[in-house]
Amino acid sequence: MSVIPAKPVLVSDGITQRPSREQALEAVRTLIAWAGDDPDRPGLIDTPKRVVDAYGEWFDGYDADAAKELSRTFEDVTGYDDMVILRDIEVESHCEHHMAPFLGKAYVAYLPGEKVVGISKLARVVEIFARRLQNQETLTNDIIDAIESHLQPRGVAVLIDAEHQCMTTRGVHHRHVSTITTRFTGAFKDDAALMDRFLKLAKA
């Protein structure tokens, strides 16, 4: 099953469209006013532009395609049949409930079948899905599903460890609490020893 890029849309009168930049700028001005400040005062006059530019960077995963990143593979693995693991991949994402950042690390491993991919592409897949609105569980699933779909490996393992600012800066205000999500497929799911070795290597 091919992984396609998600597209943010606004549905109005049956017409699907992406808001214009000017509409986005006006939305930021509205939020500034709603917060109780004057969007036309000198310190805030350029804030809508900066916010929209930042959102363009934070959410550029909507315009990227993980399938494209994983499309260039190599078949010559010279007999290598153990896991390939990337540790400490930076995760910078935003939760879909409060649009607040969650920041942490991803650990990704796969057991090559007949195809391998450049290791930078795995980090790029994490980045693409991280730069969308979602929860951490969905992010974990999206990463693993993309690798499964396009590499057909013998197994995939993903662990994400992140702190959610919707929990640290609002609500319960508990700092330094991290959320860990994991998912395993294939041999990683079936072989407890292999799963344990991944977890030890990931957090070593």
Side-chain angles (χ1 to χ4, degrees):
M1 179 174 158
S2 179
V3 177
I4 61 174
K7 295 294 182 182
V9 295
L10 173 68
V11 179
S12 177
D13 299 326
I15 300 174
T16 301
Q17 61 183 7
R18 192 169 192 165
S20 68
R21 180 176 174 83
E22 185 52 46
Q23 287 174 308
L25 292 169
E26 188 58 36
V28 178
R29 285 191 283 268
T30 298
L31 283 172
I32 292 171
W34 180 85
D37 214 322
D38 178 7
D40 292 320
R41 72 174 174 83
L44 289 173
I45 195 71
D46 290 327
T47 295
K49 176 182 179 296
R50 289 190 289 264
V51 171
V52 170
D53 288 345
Y55 268 50
E57 182 177 345
W58 288 334
F59 301 115
D60 66 6
Y62 285 112
D63 294 316
D65 190 353
K68 182 178 179 181
E69 297 295 331
L70 295 171
S71 63
R72 186 180 180 189
T73 59
F74 308 91
E75 296 184 1
D76 182 11
V77 294
T78 61
Y80 185 82
D81 62 357
D82 204 351
M83 74 173 77
V84 177
I85 180 170
L86 273 70
R87 303 193 308 181
D88 297 321
I89 304 170
E90 296 284 348
V91 170
E92 299 176 359
S93 193
H94 289 73
C95 78
E96 62 188 22
H97 297 147
H98 301 96
M99 297 181 72
F102 64 90
L103 309 172
K105 305 280 189 178
Y107 305 82
V108 178
Y110 76 105
L111 287 163
E114 295 182 355
K115 296 184 288 187
V116 296
V117 69
I119 56 175
S120 67
K121 303 302 184 183
L122 296 176
R124 177 65 178 142
V125 167
V126 173
E127 182 180 68
I128 286 172
F129 288 119
R131 291 188 175 187
R132 300 178 183 181
L133 289 167
Q134 79 262 289
N135 55 47
Q136 188 172 321
E137 295 89 340
T138 300
L139 176 58
T140 305
N141 282 335
D142 284 344
I143 293 167
I144 214 162
D145 288 345
I147 297 170
E148 277 274 311
S149 176
H150 297 285
L151 298 186
Q152 290 88 48
R154 291 178 287 127
V156 185
V158 172
L159 182 151
I160 299 177
D161 184 349
E163 292 189 16
H164 291 246
Q165 306 219 354
C166 59
M167 181 175 177
T168 62
T169 63
R170 58 161 300 282
V172 295
H173 289 275
H174 280 288
R175 299 184 182 277
H176 312 301
V177 176
S178 68
T179 298
I180 295 175
T181 52
T182 60
R183 187 179 165 199
F184 306 94
T185 68
F188 285 103
K189 185 174 183 178
D190 298 335
D191 186 337
L194 186 63
M195 181 190 299
D196 185 61
R197 188 155 66 94
F198 162 75
L199 293 172
K200 287 179 179 178
L201 287 170
K203 304 302 285 185

